[in-house]
Amino acid sequence: MEWLSLLFVAGFVFIHLFSKNMNFLKAVPRSRFLSIAGGISVAYVFLHLLPELGGFQEEVHEEFGGAGEGFLSNHIYLVAMAGLVLFYGLEQMVKNSKRRTAEGKSSSGVFWIHIGSFAMYNGVIGYLMMREEYEGVVGMALFFIALGVHFITNDKGLREAHKGEYDRYGRWLLAAAIVAGWGIGWMTEVHELVIAFLMALIAGGVILNVLKEELPEERESSLSAFVIGMSIYSVLLLSI
């Protein structure tokens, strides 16, 4: 499974480096693939990631009986909500920065803050690719599919937000963060309390990023494609 996880990490790297060549993503009305990808990501969050956070919450509560840690372990979903607010705040920061520049792109400082947050996001996913307990090869493949299509959607949004800066620097940093996260997972095991809270932040970020891409009217998204993607992936998840 270790080498299979490395193969999937290579797939994530390929997506970040070459998603700009996927010309069908530029279509208007919005590519049905992107709406399907959004449905898959939502199904992953609600049927896999959030239930897993519930399991983490119970384990952490049993292990840590102290008042401070006990309080936190009972409020892990607040961390997920904080993750949504964090990524929403980053999106607003990028939009405000773009309005203040003549070129219609964010400032250099905002770019690095935004990309840095997604690098953390990617690093945790790379770690989970190595350390997550999957339901065999199929479970690992479903994890790769859900996050792979999510990365394609994220790349499109980041490229639109930061123009050439993303292709010059951002995509390379995100690809490196995936590999670094996998390498950390290969060399050591981070405490489950840390991973639980990072996963909760990511869950909020995934929800925000999916809705950000699907909801705006100008996207001309396909509800039917979104529902199809969500339904098919849900059936696959529930069948393993």
Side-chain angles (χ1 to χ4, degrees), residues 1 4 134-145 236 239-240:
M1 293 288 280
L4 182 60
Y134 300 99
E135 297 291 337
V137 174
V138 174
M140 185 179 286
L142 288 176
F143 178 87
F144 171 76
I145 291 170
L236 291 173
S239 65
I240 62 171

Side-chain angles (χ1 to χ4, degrees), residues 52-69:
E52 190 165 88
L53 287 179
F56 266 118
Q57 181 170 293
E58 292 178 5
E59 292 177 13
V60 172
H61 183 67
E62 290 176 2
E63 183 171 346
F64 299 99
E69 289 168 328

Side-chain angles (χ1 to χ4, degrees), residues 54-92:
F56 266 118
Q57 181 170 293
E58 292 178 5
E59 292 177 13
V60 172
H61 183 67
E62 290 176 2
E63 183 171 346
F64 299 99
E69 289 168 328
F71 173 81
L72 291 175
S73 70
N74 282 320
H75 293 80
I76 200 165
Y77 293 107
L78 285 177
V79 180
M81 187 168 64
L84 188 150
V85 173
L86 170 65
F87 280 92
Y88 178 68
L90 290 169
E91 291 300 321
Q92 292 300 109

Side-chain angles (χ1 to χ4, degrees), residues 19-151:
S19 64
K20 69 173 184 174
N21 299 319
M22 299 178 185
N23 292 324
F24 65 91
L25 299 179
K26 303 171 185 177
V28 177
R30 182 179 173 85
S31 167
R32 286 181 175 271
F33 171 81
L34 289 176
S35 291
I36 290 172
I40 289 173
S41 297
V42 167
Y44 170 75
V45 168
F46 283 96
L47 296 182
H48 178 79
L49 195 52
L50 291 181
E52 190 165 88
L53 287 179
F56 266 118
Q57 181 170 293
E58 292 178 5
E59 292 177 13
V60 172
H61 183 67
E62 290 176 2
E63 183 171 346
F64 299 99
E69 289 168 328
F71 173 81
L72 291 175
S73 70
N74 282 320
H75 293 80
I76 200 165
Y77 293 107
L78 285 177
V79 180
M81 187 168 64
L84 188 150
V85 173
L86 170 65
F87 280 92
Y88 178 68
L90 290 169
E91 291 300 321
Q92 292 300 109
M93 182 177 65
V94 170
K95 288 180 181 178
N96 292 335
S97 178
K98 289 172 70 175
R99 291 192 195 104
R100 291 193 294 266
T101 59
E103 299 85 2
K105 67 176 184 178
S106 61
S107 67
S108 177
V110 168
F111 166 75
W112 287 111
I113 292 172
H114 199 207
I115 292 299
S117 67
F118 276 91
M120 179 205 71
Y121 187 101
N122 279 20
V124 175
I125 290 169
Y127 175 88
L128 293 175
M129 193 78 248
M130 176 67 196
R131 286 290 180 177
E132 178 78 340
E133 294 182 5
Y134 300 99
E135 297 291 337
V137 174
V138 174
M140 185 179 286
L142 288 176
F143 178 87
F144 171 76
I145 291 170
L147 275 302
V149 296
H150 180 60
F151 283 154

Side-chain angles (χ1 to χ4, degrees), residues 206-240:
V206 170
I207 292 170
L208 185 281
N209 288 316
V210 169
L211 295 180
K212 172 179 70 75
E213 290 297 320
E214 284 297 315
L215 289 183
E217 185 177 346
E218 65 270 17
R219 302 292 193 196
E220 299 185 36
S221 303
S222 170
L223 176 62
S224 60
F226 181 86
V227 172
I228 288 170
M230 183 171 59
S231 300
I232 292 175
Y233 191 79
S234 296
V235 170
L236 291 173
L237 273 181
L238 294 173
S239 65
I240 62 171

Side-chain angles (χ1 to χ4, degrees), residues 177-212:
I178 286 276
V179 176
W182 184 91
I184 291 171
W186 181 63
M187 291 185 294
T188 187
E189 187 169 358
V190 178
H191 198 284
E192 64 178 8
L193 179 63
V194 176
I195 294 302
F197 281 92
L198 288 175
M199 283 180 65
L201 283 172
I202 283 179
V206 170
I207 292 170
L208 185 281
N209 288 316
V210 169
L211 295 180
K212 172 179 70 75

